[in-house]
Amino acid sequence: MNTTKTDVAIIGAGPSGLMLGHLLTQAGINCIIVERKSPDYVLSRIRAGVLEQCTLQVMEKLGLDSRLKAEGLPHDGVILADGERVIEIDVKGLTGSQVVVYGQTEITKDLMDASDSRGVMRVYDADDVALHNFETEAPCVTYTKNGEPHRIDCRFIAGCDGFHGPSRKAMPGSNTNYVEKVYPFGWLGVLADVPPATHEVAYSNHDRGFALSSMRSLTRSRYYIQVGLDEKVEDWSDERFWDELAVRLGPEISSKLVTGPSIEKSIAPLRSFIFGSMRHGSLFLAGDSAHIVPPTGAKGLNLASSDITYLSAAIISYFKEKQSDGINLYSEKALNRVWKSSRFSWYLTTLMHRFPEGGEFDRKMQVAELEYIAGSKAAQTTIAENYIGLPL
Ligand code: APR
Ligand code: PHB
């Protein structure tokens, strides 16, 4: 057995694990990130791309925001449409703040590229990662690499290993201590090197189902349409996708739609999942290992950033100032924000999708709500302040 000692063992090298690894290393706290997959695999995952201030602040604090500043697209507004009406919400005017459109994959890449020069220790292709003794103050993480067994002794374990990782599963009550809502549809997403149809991100509720117009740059678009859970990607040719998207975005937006070959196409189901506790003894959960939001509103990465902001501060204060308040309050503080973001994701999902079981009453409520939003500065402000991200 090869044994190493560190302060914090981090499981998972997605955005949560990498942000935490960088913030701790910057503060002089030793850590090691253990990741099951290869670097290339981690970078091949396509995810959402709307960054709230809390994500921008983490990247700025790390001094890793130069590409983000150069290539990210600051957005002053967001659009809600329903096939006829197009409601432009002036997010900047109503809140004084903005979001920045920049792919999550690019954030991951910026963090990965800076890891070696900053001494952020990472182990990729680690098999059989397991957590031990985290009810005590001397936990450890074991794994195998190239068939060799390894052990990391540490003071804390950070479970940043996403929804399917071992950290949450190791917690007491892992099968019962959660709240979940599964939506009866998924999103079919397409990435294409064509200029985006809208300057702002546009959410559209059409008779035939939801559609979303988003982008990664001025020459790369990201579009989604709501599809049934039984739909298969193979049944969606590019042509069929573009035709359906054009109808659902409505005539005004579709008049600017440019089509082209897809470079990625996939279907993801929508669900909300919130685990009851983000700490047990010396084990902390952060990001997708503790909670999942439906993508409507693009809160997933931003919640990972707020978790990591709280958790890094708590761990730094524990080692530097011998203070335990931060670690004791972490779960409560992080979950408070998780529930509020989940509420907004649920609200926007409910407002903008067609529910297979939904009757006429539900549909009339959507129309009434959209009409109310169109005419009310207060309603638009509520959406805008949630869209840019609630304060930490
Ligand atoms: N051992 C080690 N690493 C693991 C294991 C394991 N057994 N299981 C999973 N992992 C790794 C995954 O391979 C992945 O790289 O943990 C990482 C988790 O990364 P993400 O799933 O990206 O989760 P997180 O870092 O919390 O990022 C949250 O990602 O899923 C989106 O919408 C979500 O935007 C949000 C963000
Ligand atoms: C995206 O650009 O991928 C995106 C944007 C907004 C969302 C979800 C995804 O709500």
Side-chain angles (χ1 to χ4, degrees):
M1 176 78 75
N2 304 282
T3 307
T4 323
K5 203 169 167 27
T6 192
D7 294 324
V8 184
I10 300 172
I11 307 179
S16 299
L18 288 167
M19 283 193 271
L20 183 62
H22 272 276
L23 287 165
L24 295 182
T25 305
Q26 186 184 54
I29 291 163
N30 295 318
C31 57
I32 301 176
I33 307 177
V34 185
E35 164 63 49
R36 184 171 58 127
K37 299 285 188 183
S38 68
D40 285 348
Y41 182 93
V42 171
L43 272 183
S44 68
R45 290 191 288 238
I46 311 270
R47 300 263 172 83
V50 179
L51 309 185
E52 292 177 3
Q53 294 299 320
C54 66
T55 303
L56 302 174
Q57 277 158 13
V58 170
M59 296 306 281
E60 187 180 10
K61 185 165 186 191
L62 292 171
L64 294 179
D65 58 347
S66 53
R67 198 163 71 96
L68 172 58
K69 278 198 174 125
E71 296 174 20
L73 304 173
H75 276 201
D76 292 348
V78 62
I79 296 168
L80 300 184
D82 68 358
E84 293 163 25
R85 203 184 347 239
V86 175
I87 309 169
E88 294 189 28
I89 300 184
D90 176 10
V91 171
K92 177 92 187 281
L94 292 165
T95 65
S97 193
Q98 295 169 302
V99 293
V100 172
V101 171
Y102 187 72
Q104 177 177 321
T105 314
E106 306 308 318
I107 290 279
T108 308
K109 184 173 187 319
D110 294 340
L111 292 162
M112 283 171 75
D113 286 352
S115 292
D116 287 342
S117 63
R118 300 213 172 174
V120 178
M121 289 175 64
R122 297 166 301 160
V123 177
Y124 284 94
D125 300 303
D127 294 319
D128 310 317
V129 174
L131 303 80
H132 313 270
N133 302 334
F134 52 82
E135 329 48 47
T136 74
E137 294 193 354
C140 71
V141 170
T142 55
Y143 63 95
T144 55
K145 175 145 175 154
N146 302 326
E148 294 258 314
H150 292 260
R151 190 177 88 209
I152 305 173
D153 293 326
C154 55
R155 173 63 190 89
F156 294 119
I157 302 175
C160 300
D161 43 356
F163 188 67
H164 300 287
S167 298
R168 188 187 66 255
K169 290 179 190 147
M171 281 223 180
S174 65
N175 290 321
T176 48
N177 186 18
Y178 64 85
V179 179
E180 184 178 39
K181 180 171 176 70
V182 177
Y183 291 92
F185 40 73
W187 278 15
L188 167 62
V190 158
L191 193 65
D193 277 330
V194 289
T198 48
H199 175 62
E200 310 294 6
V201 173
Y203 298 83
S204 178
N205 177 341
H206 187 271
D207 266 348
R208 294 174 62 89
F210 168 80
L212 171 62
S213 162
S214 182
M215 66 288 298
R216 291 291 172 272
S217 69
L218 296 177
T219 55
R220 179 168 285 189
S221 300
R222 181 71 169 155
Y223 295 108
Y224 301 89
I225 55 171
Q226 170 187 351
V227 292
L229 289 172
D230 52 352
E231 293 275 357
K232 295 199 173 40
V233 155
E234 310 81 80
D235 295 335
W236 285 89
S237 64
D238 286 358
E239 197 186 359
R240 181 177 173 208
F241 177 84
W242 291 121
D243 288 349
E244 187 65 30
L245 180 73
V247 172
R248 294 193 194 184
L249 288 176
E252 190 175 329
I253 297 177
S254 297
S255 65
K256 294 178 213 107
L257 184 64
V258 182
T259 64
S262 64
I263 50 178
E264 197 264 352
K265 201 187 280 163
S266 55
I267 294 181
L270 267 71
R271 76 153 98 184
S272 228
F273 174 98
I274 299 157
F275 195 59
S277 172
M278 291 173 66
R279 176 192 178 195
H280 183 77
S282 300
L283 167 62
F284 300 95
L285 301 182
D288 273 21
S289 70
H291 42 74
I292 300 280
V293 283
T296 336
K299 296 299 181 198
L301 170 64
N302 296 301
L303 274 180
S305 307
S306 58
D307 289 354
I308 294 302
T309 301
Y310 297 136
L311 183 57
S312 59
I315 293 177
I316 292 168
S317 143
Y318 176 88
F319 283 110
K320 298 280 167 189
E321 290 145 28
K322 310 279 177 254
Q323 293 289 332
S324 298
D325 289 2
I327 58 170
N328 290 336
L329 290 173
Y330 166 69
S331 179
E332 193 188 322
K333 224 168 149 178
L335 279 173
N336 187 288
R337 193 166 189 279
V338 167
W339 276 108
K340 288 187 205 148
S341 274
S342 299
R343 185 205 69 83
F344 182 64
S345 307
W346 159 80
Y347 166 77
L348 209 53
T349 304
T350 308
L351 177 65
M352 300 309 292
H353 289 74
R354 295 299 167 116
F355 286 71
E357 312 291 301
E360 200 182 343
F361 180 82
D362 291 358
R363 178 63 200 134
K364 293 276 189 213
M365 286 298 109
Q366 289 182 336
V367 173
E369 176 83 14
L370 284 164
E371 254 182 59
Y372 167 57
I373 294 166
S376 162
K377 189 175 173 189
Q380 292 187 14
T381 307
T382 298
I383 291 175
E385 73 176 6
N386 279 279
Y387 189 66
I388 58 149
L390 294 174
L392 260 67

